[in-house]
Amino acid sequence: MSTINWEQEVEKRKEELIATTQRFLQIDSVLDPDTAGEGAPFGEGVQAALQFALQTCEEAGMTIKNINGYAGHAEFGQGDECIGVLSHVDVVPPGDGWTIPPFAADIIEGKIIARGALDDKGPAMAAIFAAKIIKELGLPLQKRVRLIFGTDEESGWECVKRYFETEEMPTMGFTPDADFPLIYAEKGLTHLVLRQTSESFDQLTHKNRLDASQEGATQLLSFHAGMRVNMVPEIAEAELACHPEQAAAWTEAYQIYLEKGQRRGHITQTDKGVAFSLQGVSVHGMDPGKGVNAGAYLAKFLQNCDLDVRGRAFVDFIATYLFEQHDGATMGIKVEDQEMGPLTMNPGIFHYVAGEEVRFDLNIRYPHSILFEQWKPKLEQVASEHGYFLEIITHKKPHRVDPTHPLVTTLQRVYTERTGEKAELLAIGGGTYGRALDVGVAFGPLFPGRQDTAHQRDEYLLVEDLLKATAIYAQAIFELAKE
Ligand SMILES: [Zn+2]
């Protein structure tokens, strides 16, 4: 059995693999609520892609099942245990600026260029052909293999939710929807909101015996920054009501603040007073220290302005707890573990309108050595001291498979045998589709050093990498299912 030449087996099927991948990519499988209906909850394009994947598997002799259009699977092999390979057939909208049409799937200079080439239809087809090779060679298996196809990975993950309500959870498995060598651990992910109503603030000021005599001369009318909780806000804007002389003084002070910090921004005088804007550097919220949070930097300046009580409390809260506080230290929730690194906090959305509700959206990612229940009360405590309620919008626990688990060690060994490279284990702050499996890791398809074009224009997968990944997946599925 050890004499199977996996690369050669892929090579024999190369033309068919490439042509089938191209046809798969030519189906526009962007979520489309307009064409959604019974059996096609995410639209006709997504459904056509699911059917294409299932049909390709059926033609290869696997048994298929479509779960009401939410997901589907193709199965072969025998035994009680089940090895899962989870991929998805939906893609994000292509956007503009492509050099060739995004659903043409042309091959240029060894690259298959198409929306979904890398994420995730190319690798899904690699997994299908990997399974096909095992079947065609008639290799004996002691377990069942199930290729599972999701249809809603790029938005709400309703597909896997619905799928696992009625379908079996594989004993173990992998998803070809991230990076090689192997991602075995992902931080816990939360979207939390701190909310303060006028009433909750009034109660607080009453308790703290603040009164109108402490009221500043300037009113903070509004403050906004950020659009998405998992991104560092790029732009912040604030409006103040004040006297014209005051506005002139701040214009000068703000210019100095911007110059000192080498930030870009504007200040303009308005009917009521002044309007500020500040430009930060937006990066992904999993690594907020790499960006510049526009909201935090604008609030820091506004601390100098003689604001009304609530406005001042708002900017002080930001300056104390959110300004350059990527690890939540002042919140008292800082924690770091050797394996997964530090807890990270990204204040992704700031919202303030005078007299209305104040809101911060936080994206906190935490390592597995601390429980959500351990740090959440600390955050809640700080929040309530400042008149905020903590609301949990989403919470996903850390996901981790023990590095000594046979799933991890087998995939590591296969990767090394097929590439000659050491298979370093990765722990990340992001989330992969692997967490939809109870015992699941992410395994490819992006090789180290390759450009990650997922979700970008001119997304591509090198033909060479498609073939290499297929050989790796074939051996991986066989080794996991053979005994
Ligand atoms: Zn994906």
Side-chain angles (χ1 to χ4, degrees):
M1 238 21 105
S2 59
T3 55
I4 300 163
N5 185 329
W6 298 102
E7 282 75 19
Q8 208 171 56
E9 295 301 333
V10 174
E11 192 64 29
K12 284 181 201 164
R13 296 160 179 87
K14 181 179 158 180
E15 302 308 322
E16 191 192 349
L17 167 57
I18 294 168
T20 314
T21 303
Q22 284 177 298
R23 281 167 54 213
F24 192 27
L25 290 169
Q26 282 157 2
I27 303 167
D28 173 348
S29 56
V30 174
L31 167 71
D32 180 16
D34 289 346
T35 59
E38 178 61 28
F42 307 109
E44 283 170 5
V46 174
Q47 204 44 225
L50 176 62
Q51 269 155 13
F52 185 90
L54 291 175
Q55 196 190 330
T56 308
C57 293
E58 190 172 38
E59 282 162 13
M62 299 175 228
T63 308
I64 61 165
K65 183 171 179 184
N66 185 334
I67 289 79
N68 241 340
Y70 279 89
H73 71 237
E75 191 179 279
F76 65 103
Q78 56 181 17
D80 292 337
E81 290 186 51
C82 176
I83 300 301
V85 182
L86 176 64
S87 57
H88 64 92
V89 303
D90 59 315
V91 296
V92 293
D96 301 324
W98 286 66
T99 48
I100 64 161
F103 297 105
D106 286 333
I107 297 176
I108 297 169
E109 291 170 356
K111 298 169 179 172
I112 306 182
I113 302 172
R115 173 57 81 229
L118 182 64
D119 180 16
D120 186 42
K121 286 153 96 182
M125 196 49 72
I128 292 173
F129 270 71
K132 197 167 137 76
I133 288 170
I134 297 167
K135 273 199 71 70
E136 286 172 4
L137 294 178
L139 299 175
L141 303 181
Q142 299 303 318
K143 292 174 189 161
R144 285 170 295 126
V145 175
R146 212 173 244 205
L147 306 182
I148 305 168
F149 305 101
T151 57
D152 178 35
E153 193 277 338
E154 299 293 2
S155 28
W157 288 35
E158 281 301 317
C159 53
V160 273
K161 251 179 258 167
R162 171 63 191 83
Y163 180 83
F164 288 118
E165 272 170 22
T166 54
E167 305 304 308
E168 166 186 3
M169 177 56 72
T171 321
M172 64 180 94
F174 65 86
T175 181
D177 190 29
D179 301 334
F180 277 127
L182 190 151
I183 297 167
Y184 78 105
E186 303 170 16
K187 283 180 186 168
L189 306 174
T190 66
H191 175 182
L192 307 174
V193 170
L194 300 180
R195 210 185 280 285
Q196 184 195 70
T197 60
S198 300
E199 294 75 44
S200 67
F201 185 73
D202 287 346
Q203 279 170 14
L204 182 80
T205 51
H206 187 71
K207 200 175 73 191
N208 294 348
R209 297 174 201 286
L210 298 174
D211 60 45
S213 64
Q214 289 170 281
E215 192 80 353
T218 304
Q219 196 191 8
L220 179 61
L221 296 174
S222 68
F223 186 105
H224 291 102
M227 322 254 285
R228 286 172 55 188
V229 71
N230 61 354
M231 299 296 290
V232 171
E234 168 127 47
I235 303 287
E237 289 171 326
E239 262 189 296
L240 269 55
C242 63
H243 291 299
E245 313 96 75
Q246 192 63 67
W250 284 332
T251 303
E252 206 185 318
Y254 192 55
Q255 299 299 355
I256 294 167
Y257 177 74
L258 292 174
E259 270 168 41
K260 254 190 175 171
Q262 295 186 309
R263 311 265 165 247
R264 289 202 291 168
H266 292 286
I267 179 166
T268 38
Q269 302 203 9
T270 64
D271 294 349
K272 292 173 186 161
V274 283
F276 294 89
S277 75
L278 189 137
Q279 189 172 354
V281 178
S282 185
V283 298
H284 197 281
M286 75 169 115
D287 221 341
K290 288 186 176 160
V292 174
N293 191 313
Y297 275 84
L298 181 54
K300 188 82 176 165
F301 175 80
L302 296 180
Q303 272 195 304
N304 305 314
C305 305
D306 185 25
L307 297 180
D308 60 291
V309 172
R310 196 175 183 203
R312 190 167 64 227
F314 173 76
V315 297
D316 283 350
F317 185 84
I318 298 172
T320 307
Y321 298 106
L322 306 178
F323 180 80
E324 293 290 340
Q325 287 290 320
H326 313 302
D327 57 5
T330 51
M331 291 276 194
I333 57 172
K334 179 178 168 162
V335 62
E336 173 150 10
D337 80 37
Q338 281 214 324
E339 236 183 276
M340 299 180 80
L343 174 149
T344 59
M345 176 173 74
N346 179 54
I349 302 173
F350 300 71
H351 175 88
Y352 182 104
V353 176
E356 294 178 16
E357 189 187 79
V358 174
R359 169 185 175 133
F360 297 107
D361 286 54
L362 306 177
N363 181 206
I364 296 179
R365 294 162 187 254
Y366 66 101
H368 80 290
S369 57
I370 187 168
L371 294 172
F372 181 57
E373 292 71 22
Q374 287 174 295
W375 61 264
K376 191 193 74 161
K378 296 183 186 175
L379 185 65
E380 226 156 17
Q381 174 68 27
V382 171
S384 80
E385 281 167 13
H386 296 272
Y388 290 94
F389 304 102
L390 179 70
E391 189 185 331
I392 301 159
I393 306 293
T394 59
H395 170 227
K396 291 177 184 172
K397 285 183 195 160
H399 178 77
R400 179 179 175 271
V401 177
D402 195 282
T404 63
H405 191 286
L407 172 67
V408 177
T409 55
T410 304
L411 295 181
Q412 260 186 310
R413 179 170 55 76
V414 167
Y415 181 81
T416 299
E417 284 180 21
R418 299 269 58 79
T419 63
E421 304 285 333
K422 190 166 172 270
E424 204 195 323
L425 299 180
L426 310 172
I428 63 166
T432 79
Y433 215 19
R435 67 166 62 227
L437 300 170
D438 284 354
V439 182
V441 298
F443 189 52
L446 194 68
F447 287 96
R450 294 291 197 226
Q451 189 189 2
D452 185 359
T453 53
H455 297 205
Q456 294 174 30
R457 66 186 169 83
D458 289 340
E459 176 180 346
Y460 72 86
L461 178 62
L462 286 168
V463 172
E464 179 194 333
D465 289 357
L466 173 69
L467 303 180
K468 202 154 94 176
T470 305
I472 294 171
Y473 293 151
Q475 189 189 353
I477 294 169
F478 174 59
E479 301 264 352
L480 290 172
K482 73 177 180 183
E483 60 201 16

